[in-house]
Amino acid sequence: MADRSPVLRITTSAARQSLNPLGLAQRGRSRLWIDDHGWWLGVVEFTPPRTAGSGLHVGAMWLWHDVDHLAFHVDAVRVSPEPFRTEDQFTPLALELSRQAAANVTALREKFPALPDVARYLTSRPVRRGFFWDSFDAGIAAALVGDPETARDQFERVLREAPLAPWMVEAQEKARELHAIAPDRDAVTAWVTRAVDSCRSKLGLDPVALAIS
């Protein structure tokens, strides 16, 4: 049977050239690729436009969110979709997108080589109105590196938000629990390890021995 999705075929071929050498894995036959670091992922999506073609979205996902879908908690790059007209026209565009993806995956690895680097990044970001998860993530990272005062400040920001949706209520329950145990680094590490293990299971990722440090 002929391939009814030349865009996906060309994009996948281009991505294999740039992302396979870096150790990324494609999610089935989808437009998604992941760079697995145990407790966080680099996520690459060759984003579909409304018509044929592809854009690019690369970012990091913190697995302590314990969700059943891939997400972008830190953006590295977004590239507007390139249209597909013919295979000859689209192939070099797909190759360039894949090279940009590889460069941004490498940049994320260099930005977040270890937990202290993640904590410094998350806790130093300016407060952004409407970005509920910023403080939640910063609080967890601070608690994990043994900075309970900063962690509690961040969790208190989460708790001051008006819970306008059920997911916010659930997040605030977690923030309240983490606020209480923030001075106990081992307890926070155990909490995060359980969340990451659960998230990896929901995403169909192999279990790993986590070294959250």
Side-chain angles (χ1 to χ4, degrees), residues 112-198:
F112 302 134
L115 179 60
D117 304 281
V118 173
R120 278 191 294 272
Y121 171 80
L122 293 177
T123 58
S124 65
R125 285 188 298 185
V127 176
R128 301 185 295 172
R129 187 175 180 82
F131 286 80
F132 178 89
W133 293 111
D134 281 6
S135 294
F136 182 86
D137 292 334
I140 288 178
L144 285 171
V145 297
D147 185 356
E149 183 176 347
T150 297
R152 282 184 155 171
D153 285 344
Q154 296 289 341
F155 291 134
E156 285 164 11
R157 289 180 185 175
V158 174
L159 295 172
R160 286 196 294 269
E161 294 281 342
L164 302 177
W167 64 265
M168 294 180 73
V169 174
E170 181 181 354
Q172 287 181 328
E173 289 174 356
K174 293 178 180 179
R176 196 169 288 109
E177 179 183 358
L178 287 160
H179 184 279
I181 64 173
D184 186 342
R185 188 177 179 185
D186 289 342
V188 174
T189 300
W191 188 99
V192 170
T193 298
R194 290 192 298 271
V196 170
D197 284 344
S198 176

Side-chain angles (χ1 to χ4, degrees), residues 24-25 27 32-45 57-63 70-72 74 76 104-105 108-109 112:
L24 274 73
R27 296 283 285 175
L32 290 159
W33 294 70
I34 60 170
D35 186 26
D36 192 348
H37 297 273
W39 55 273
W40 71 277
L41 304 177
V43 182
V44 175
E45 182 180 19
H57 191 184
V58 180
M61 175 182 181
W62 315 123
L63 296 184
L70 294 176
F72 296 88
V74 174
N104 282 278
V105 165
L108 280 175
R109 290 177 176 181
F112 302 134

Side-chain angles (χ1 to χ4, degrees), residues 9-72:
R9 172 169 49 80
I10 294 168
T11 302
T12 298
S13 176
R16 284 174 178 160
Q17 292 182 46
S18 296
L19 301 182
N20 275 351
L22 295 178
L24 274 73
Q26 185 180 13
R27 296 283 285 175
R29 297 182 179 180
S30 75
R31 294 169 175 256
L32 290 159
W33 294 70
I34 60 170
D35 186 26
D36 192 348
H37 297 273
W39 55 273
W40 71 277
L41 304 177
V43 182
V44 175
E45 182 180 19
F46 294 94
T47 53
R50 296 184 180 218
T51 56
S54 180
L56 176 67
H57 191 184
V58 180
M61 175 182 181
W62 315 123
L63 296 184
W64 55 59
H65 280 261
D66 191 10
V67 292
D68 61 0
H69 57 274
L70 294 176
F72 296 88

